[in-house]
Amino acid sequence: MRLLFATIEPCPTFRPDVAALFGKFLPRFGVTSDLVAERAPGVAGEVSWGGGEALLISSRDGRSGRYAANLLHYALTLLRADLLAARLKKLPFFYWMSFPTPEGQIYLARERGLSAGLLRFLFPLLWRGWMHLFLLYRIVLPRADHVFVQSDRMREDLVGKGIARQKLTPVVMGVDLEASVPEAIAPADDARLKGKRVLIYLGTLARGRRIEVLFDMLKILRQRFPDVLLLLVGEADDEVDEKRLRKLADDAGVAEATVWTGWLPPREAWRYVRAAEVGLAPVPRGSMLDCGSPTKVLEYLALGVPVVANDNPDQERVLREGGGGLCVPLTAHDFAQAVSRLLVDEPLRRAMASSGQSYVRASRGYQTLAKLVADKYAELLHAQ
């Protein structure tokens, strides 16, 4: 089975649902994919794509120029593939929806306002927001032969928007268990972490994630644990938002107890996870994020680190079924209380880490998820 796979993610990508699922594990079940994507910045020469052929464009212009060049690249690639012939031959069109991106862009524009300039307000609001909202829900999803969604909750959301339930298959996020072997990943040797009780947040620092609650949590924790340290491994949407977050940390009086690494490649980021005692997973409740399947909890548990998370539906399920951490309301007080419980009880930390790791290995490895996806593809093609 061979797919033409167009994605907005640059190549090589570090998104596990692209790199691991399509680039590594699906080919083992006979599902290959030719990838249509933008070449990642700073990557020269031939790019290896494990799923098949990489059909890439190198964009060096500014933001608007890149969007225009990428759009043209995708259009020309699809034209070369002869879409009309494909539809006449009844080749199916599948859509993967990992996040309600138009709603996310509208939220970003409204939250950021004009702080980053008029263009950076209008572009996500009007084009990537409202225009994409129309295209996605009125044209793409209704006309797709099948839609793979991120979670059971996302399926229910789309059914509520008029998409037929039988066209929707949830595929949750997973972990590459062959790559995330704790014994093969040395803890980060970072002088800033020496002698500290390290708490880690791994992932985006985007405004919508409201990670500032962690600064207030840290302020509470330092009254009991003066050596506690918050490690942020990820990046904000832009410099404006990073400055906003750093000011909030300073306002909370915890700037000197917060370490910012910026974005790191997965294996390097995992070294910092291995250096931590507790993994943090705050995900604000709401329609936009409730439909997600956060990866950070799975990565923490795969690497043997217990978790404090709030009740995002998928996170709550993982912790309830796997016993790998504590699920509490998303408040500074509740997070601080849960972290305190883990910091003072090493046997509990070890037990939760072991239980959660076993759960992830049994049910959330990409080898397992790839088999489910390959079987679904075969079923869909057989029904054509």
Side-chain angles (χ1 to χ4, degrees):
M1 188 185 308
R2 184 179 179 187
L3 312 175
L4 182 64
F5 180 21
T7 175
I8 197 172
E9 293 298 320
C11 183
T13 178
F14 294 102
R15 277 193 62 95
D17 49 348
V18 177
L21 181 59
F22 283 90
K24 182 176 181 179
F25 290 103
L26 276 174
R28 299 182 186 181
F29 296 99
V31 181
T32 60
S33 37
D34 294 337
L35 186 72
V36 184
E38 177 185 13
R39 181 185 295 270
V43 176
E46 185 176 352
V47 175
S48 175
W49 165 245
E53 184 180 355
L55 308 172
L56 307 182
I57 181 175
S58 299
S59 300
R60 297 184 178 85
D61 297 327
R63 184 180 296 266
S64 58
R66 283 181 54 210
Y67 282 121
N70 290 346
L71 180 61
L72 181 61
H73 173 61
Y74 293 128
L76 290 176
T77 303
L78 293 175
L79 287 173
R80 284 195 294 269
D82 198 345
L83 286 187
L84 179 59
R87 297 310 284 176
L88 290 175
K89 289 194 295 184
K90 297 185 178 180
L91 297 184
F93 165 56
F94 302 141
Y95 187 82
W96 278 76
M97 186 169 173
S98 58
F99 184 74
T101 302
E103 292 93 328
Q105 290 295 310
I106 293 169
Y107 175 86
L108 172 64
R110 288 174 171 170
E111 282 289 299
R112 188 164 57 189
L114 296 173
S115 62
L118 181 61
L119 181 60
R120 299 192 70 180
F121 169 71
L122 292 177
F123 185 72
L125 179 67
L126 301 179
W127 172 245
R128 301 190 71 186
W130 289 112
M131 179 58 74
H132 283 200
L133 197 73
F134 172 81
L135 293 172
L136 181 63
Y137 294 113
R138 296 296 183 90
I139 297 177
V140 175
L141 296 183
R143 287 166 173 76
D145 294 288
H146 202 77
V147 180
F148 292 87
V149 296
Q150 190 73 90
S151 65
D152 291 336
R153 177 62 177 267
M154 183 180 284
R155 176 171 59 185
E156 297 307 312
D157 288 347
L158 292 183
V159 168
K161 293 179 182 294
I163 309 301
R165 182 183 298 274
Q166 64 268 23
K167 285 178 54 172
L168 305 170
T169 296
V171 180
V172 294
M173 294 295 284
V175 180
D176 183 349
L177 297 174
E178 296 176 358
S180 56
V181 179
E183 296 77 12
I185 301 173
D189 183 18
D190 189 324
R192 296 172 295 179
L193 313 185
K194 300 298 184 183
K196 302 294 184 180
R197 309 292 302 271
V198 179
L199 316 175
I200 188 168
Y201 172 86
L202 173 64
T204 178
L205 309 183
R207 185 182 292 255
R209 299 309 173 99
R210 304 292 188 191
I211 68 154
E212 51 264 33
V213 71
L214 299 181
F215 303 143
D216 295 327
M217 172 208 73
L218 187 59
K219 182 177 181 179
I220 296 171
L221 285 170
R222 293 184 74 199
Q223 298 173 19
R224 185 176 183 185
F225 306 96
D227 56 350
V228 72
L229 181 141
L230 175 61
L231 179 60
L232 301 176
V233 181
E235 61 183 0
D237 290 320
D238 50 42
E239 292 182 6
V240 172
D241 208 43
E242 181 174 333
K243 289 179 180 178
R244 181 187 68 88
L245 286 172
R246 287 182 179 271
K247 183 179 185 304
L248 289 171
D250 190 56
D251 291 344
V254 297
E256 71 279 7
T258 305
V259 170
W260 311 68
T261 70
W263 181 87
L264 297 174
R267 194 166 185 86
E268 190 174 347
W270 290 345
R271 292 188 62 203
Y272 279 98
V273 174
R274 293 275 289 123
E277 294 185 61
V278 178
L280 304 172
V283 179
R285 297 299 307 273
S287 60
M288 190 169 64
L289 296 179
D290 276 359
C291 65
S293 176
T295 307
K296 59 177 66 64
V297 166
L298 305 175
E299 292 179 316
Y300 296 150
L301 296 179
L303 294 169
V305 176
V307 177
V308 171
N310 69 296
D311 58 343
N312 164 275
D314 192 57
Q315 290 189 158
E316 188 277 332
R317 175 185 175 184
V318 168
L319 295 182
R320 171 170 42 83
E321 294 180 353
L326 302 174
C327 187
V328 299
L330 183 52
T331 71
H333 173 78
D334 287 297
F335 260 61
Q337 193 172 50
V339 170
S340 295
R341 182 181 170 192
L342 290 176
L343 289 181
V344 301
D345 193 339
E346 184 175 356
L348 178 63
R349 291 202 309 274
R350 290 182 180 276
M352 286 187 163
S354 176
S355 179
Q357 190 176 64
S358 297
Y359 173 82
V360 169
R361 288 176 174 173
S363 62
R364 288 297 186 101
Y366 268 119
Q367 177 80 6
T368 300
L369 296 174
K371 177 63 165 60
L372 297 175
V373 173
D375 287 347
K376 187 63 181 182
Y377 275 146
E379 174 192 328
L380 293 169
L381 290 179
H382 180 73
Q384 289 292 312

